[in-house]
Amino acid sequence: MHKFFSYKRAAFFLLCPFLSFFAAGCQNTSTVQDENSAFRKFTHTLFCQEVSSDTLTLHYTLQKPQTYGIKNPPVTYGSFSSNTAEAMASSENLLHALKQFHPNALDKENQLTYDILEKYFQTNNALAPYLLYQEPVNPTTGIQAQLPVLLCEYQFSNTKDVEIYLELLSKTPEYLQSLSEFEKAKSDAGLFMSHAVAEDVIAQCRSFLEMGDENYLYTTFQER
């Protein structure tokens, strides 16, 4: 639902302890192994941090998060931000954390991962000033169209899943408020959606509400 490697959690990586490494040409086998091991720990931490950044992403990605060391993550949809300065700082922090590793000292698999992450963080940094050009609300793939589908397909494997789901539902107003504020920031910047698109989105929302007790979120919850 949300992009991986979002800007908000980058400061976390500045707090991660990183080893000091020698130049690749001066490293012995043990040091190279240490660097590969440290890099794998870094990417594992990055993955866990990102996949648990919102409950839907975590639930749809990992059946047993605890096997990855993810225990009692916050129940949240995440949020939207129009703070371009924060976005740029976060992507720069992630890139800085990545640069603590020497790619030439990594094995081929880790080198490939390094190259992909480096390009991704650089791209995020370049796109950070254009946050308000994103459009999370549209008739086809917008939040108002996708969120109900994700919720009605949310699988319950045990009682804990149901409890988390219900807690997540209670966070919906807060999440939609965040979305509303983002759309207002777009409007203030002259980047709001067209009138026709806005009318289509409003019509979708009205149709959803008019289902009443026959809404598929009710029926699928009972079935699950």
Side-chain angles (χ1 to χ4, degrees), residues 1-16 42 45-55 57 73-74 76-81 86-87 89-95 97 120-121 124:
M1 189 167 163
H2 293 294
K3 302 187 299 295
F4 270 24
F5 310 118
S6 63
Y7 302 116
K8 295 190 173 186
R9 294 167 299 282
F12 168 86
F13 296 100
L14 288 182
L15 303 178
C16 292
F42 167 75
T45 300
L46 178 63
F47 171 77
C48 290
Q49 191 75 7
E50 292 298 328
V51 79
S52 61
S53 63
D54 72 82
T55 302
T57 296
T76 176
Y77 287 107
S79 61
F80 297 90
S81 174
E86 180 185 79
S90 296
S91 58
E92 288 170 358
N93 290 344
L94 283 168
L95 189 58
Y120 193 89
F121 296 153
N124 275 352

Side-chain angles (χ1 to χ4, degrees), residues 17-103:
F18 293 105
L19 300 175
S20 296
F21 303 111
F22 295 99
C26 300
Q27 292 178 320
N28 56 34
T29 302
S30 176
T31 305
V32 171
Q33 290 175 344
D34 289 344
E35 182 129 355
N36 278 290
S37 176
F39 185 76
R40 283 191 291 272
K41 289 179 181 178
F42 167 75
T43 54
H44 176 83
T45 300
L46 178 63
F47 171 77
C48 290
Q49 191 75 7
E50 292 298 328
V51 79
S52 61
S53 63
D54 72 82
T55 302
L56 288 176
T57 296
L58 180 62
H59 188 75
Y60 276 91
T61 305
L62 298 176
Q63 185 175 19
K64 297 180 178 180
Q66 61 274 16
T67 61
Y68 286 79
I70 302 173
K71 299 178 181 179
N72 301 316
V75 177
T76 176
Y77 287 107
S79 61
F80 297 90
S81 174
S82 59
N83 190 327
T84 57
E86 180 185 79
M88 291 186 70
S90 296
S91 58
E92 288 170 358
N93 290 344
L94 283 168
L95 189 58
H96 173 77
L98 181 68
K99 293 291 187 179
Q100 304 308 302
F101 299 94
H102 299 290

Side-chain angles (χ1 to χ4, degrees), residues 55-66 70 72-77 150-170 220-221 224:
T55 302
L56 288 176
T57 296
L58 180 62
H59 188 75
Y60 276 91
T61 305
L62 298 176
Q63 185 175 19
K64 297 180 178 180
Q66 61 274 16
I70 302 173
N72 301 316
V75 177
T76 176
Y77 287 107
L150 290 170
L151 290 174
C152 77
E153 293 181 353
Y154 192 106
Q155 295 299 308
F156 301 141
S157 300
N158 49 53
T159 303
K160 185 66 174 178
D161 283 346
V162 180
E163 292 173 347
I164 291 174
Y165 176 83
L166 293 175
E167 183 178 352
L168 182 64
L169 288 184
S170 73
T220 59
F221 180 79
R224 285 174 289 164

